[in-house]
């Protein structure tokens, strides 16, 4: 039985390029507070390690790969995801890349992403998955992205088709001066963005059945403070700065009396460690 995985092939190729400089991993340390399976508030350290090789030239192909793992002390999980990518550029005509990724705990399924850039100034993206034991390829969706200029502003159009549900959808975006708008036909949502000043921005989202959310962001020094509101759900605050620190706190609007829907908070920061 064929057990061919793009991810494993790519990572093997990367090992062959051992003479190249090994990049340092990205390490993020976080503190997470959430309700556990019993409904009690639990707090724990949440480390995350990410590593990627960067593109390497292997017999005319651009090859790269890496892994990503996060240890969740509350959910008691530590999934490890590995991925690999092979790409090739055909002059000024187009660039084609194929990416595969899988979880170490369940390597029977390989997620595949095919990208083609350059044809008619568009980007074509095809999603699918490979069932390794069954040696079967399943297609999930296909998207086409097209961007350009219109009436002094910039526009983007993304038509898509879902093979599983046989549904077609489209996203249309437009941005001019301080205003931006995105119409999402798939999720039936409209997003409006407005730059009040250089340091103040407001983003509002409208969805089905009166759903509404709002995010106000204020730039303070090298960081950004955001106030979040989601109708009939929650309010929150978020802080992010250039050092890689992100802190969030979120509370349900109807109080914290529900055992499985209480206060949530998290704090994470990128940690730079020496790596040979």
């Amino acid at each position: 039985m064929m057990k061919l995985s793009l991810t494993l092939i790519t990572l093997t190729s990367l090992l062959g390029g051992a003479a190249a400089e090994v990049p340092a991993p990205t390490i993020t340390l976080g503190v997470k507070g959430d309700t556990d399976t019993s409904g009690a508030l639990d707090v724990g350290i949440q480390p995350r390690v990410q590593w990627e090789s960067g593109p390497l030239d292997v017999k005319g192909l651009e090859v790269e790969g890496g892994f990503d793992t996060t240890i969740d002390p509350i959910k008691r999980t530590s999934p490890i995801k590995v991925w690999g990518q092979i790409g090739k550029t055909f002059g000024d005509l187009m660039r084609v890349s194929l990416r595969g990724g899988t979880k170490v705990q369940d390597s029977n399924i390989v997620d595949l992403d095919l990208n083609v850039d350059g044809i008619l100034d568009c980007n074509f993206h095809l999603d699918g998955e490979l069932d390794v034991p069954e040696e079967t390829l399943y297609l999930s969706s296909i998207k086409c992205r097209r961007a350009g200029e219109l009436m002094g502003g910039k526009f983007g159009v993304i038509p898509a088709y879902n093979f599983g549900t046989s549904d077609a959808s489209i996203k249309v975006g437009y941005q001019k001066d301080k205003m931006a708008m995105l119409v999402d036909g798939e999720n039936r949502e409209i997003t409006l963005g407005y730059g009040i000043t250089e340091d103040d921005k407001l983003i509002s989202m409208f969805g089905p059945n009166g759903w509404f959310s709002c995010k106000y962001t204020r730039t303070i020094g090298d960081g950004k403070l955001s106030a979040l509101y989601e109708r009939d759900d929650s309010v929150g605050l978020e802080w992010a700065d250039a050092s890689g620190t992100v802190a969030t706190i979120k509370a349900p609007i109807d109080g914290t009396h529900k055992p499985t829907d209480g206060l949530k908070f998290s704090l994470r920061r990128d940690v730079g460690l020496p790596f040979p």
Side-chain angles (χ1 to χ4, degrees):
M1 180 180 295
M2 182 183 68
K3 292 231 175 187
L4 181 61
S5 166
L6 170 69
T7 304
L8 298 179
I9 291 177
T10 303
L11 295 178
T12 301
S13 300
L14 294 173
L15 293 176
E21 181 180 355
V22 179
T26 300
I27 300 176
T28 303
L29 292 180
V31 178
K32 180 181 180 181
D34 199 351
T35 51
D36 59 18
T37 55
S38 66
L41 180 64
D42 197 358
V43 180
I45 302 297
Q46 187 179 53
R48 179 181 183 183
V49 180
Q50 298 168 282
W51 178 85
E52 60 181 68
S53 66
L56 298 174
D57 190 329
V58 179
K59 296 183 179 181
L61 297 175
E62 302 168 20
V63 180
E64 54 188 311
F67 69 86
D68 185 347
T69 181
T70 301
I71 299 175
D72 192 322
I74 298 176
K75 304 301 182 183
R76 307 292 194 268
T77 59
S78 55
I80 301 175
K81 301 177 182 179
V82 294
W83 61 271
Q85 180 170 297
I86 299 175
K88 185 172 180 61
T89 302
F90 299 88
D92 297 329
L93 178 61
M94 65 178 177
R95 183 181 187 277
V96 180
S97 64
L98 179 62
R99 178 184 175 116
T102 187
K103 295 180 180 179
V104 173
Q105 292 87 344
D106 182 17
S107 58
N108 289 331
I109 300 297
V110 179
D111 295 321
L112 298 175
D113 301 304
L114 175 66
N115 273 286
V116 180
D117 290 296
I119 298 180
L120 301 176
D121 295 327
C122 295
N123 167 263
F124 294 90
H125 184 85
L126 180 64
D127 287 330
E129 64 178 30
L130 175 65
D131 188 322
V132 179
E134 298 295 332
E135 301 182 12
T136 304
L137 176 64
Y138 299 95
L139 298 180
S140 302
S141 65
I142 184 171
K143 299 177 181 179
C144 173
R145 296 179 176 87
R146 178 75 165 85
E149 297 184 357
L150 178 66
M151 296 168 32
K154 298 179 179 179
F155 78 92
V157 181
I158 307 177
Y161 181 79
N162 188 304
F163 292 99
T165 61
S166 299
D167 291 332
S169 62
I170 189 170
K171 294 181 181 179
V172 179
Y174 185 75
Q175 184 271 326
K176 183 178 181 181
D177 299 328
K178 295 181 179 180
M179 290 290 298
M181 179 181 67
L182 174 65
V183 179
D184 184 346
E186 179 180 4
N187 298 309
R188 296 186 295 163
E189 294 177 352
I190 297 177
T191 303
L192 300 176
Y194 179 66
I196 304 172
T197 68
E198 289 293 327
D199 296 329
D200 299 86
K201 294 179 173 57
L202 181 66
I203 298 177
S204 302
M205 295 182 65
F206 305 86
N209 303 319
W211 179 84
F212 168 77
S213 74
C214 184
K215 179 179 180 180
Y216 169 76
T217 301
R218 169 76 176 178
T219 300
I220 304 174
D222 64 349
K224 294 182 179 182
L225 179 64
S226 299
L228 314 168
Y229 167 79
E230 186 172 344
R231 180 183 176 183
D232 298 329
D233 184 77
S234 61
V235 293
L237 289 174
E238 178 181 278
W239 167 262
D241 59 30
S243 67
T245 299
V246 179
T248 61
I249 183 170
K250 183 178 179 181
I253 290 178
D254 57 356
T256 59
H257 62 280
K258 294 182 180 180
T260 59
D261 191 19
L263 188 69
K264 297 178 175 61
F265 64 89
S266 65
L267 172 65
R268 65 180 186 271
R269 179 181 176 86
D270 292 341
V271 179
L273 299 178
F275 193 76

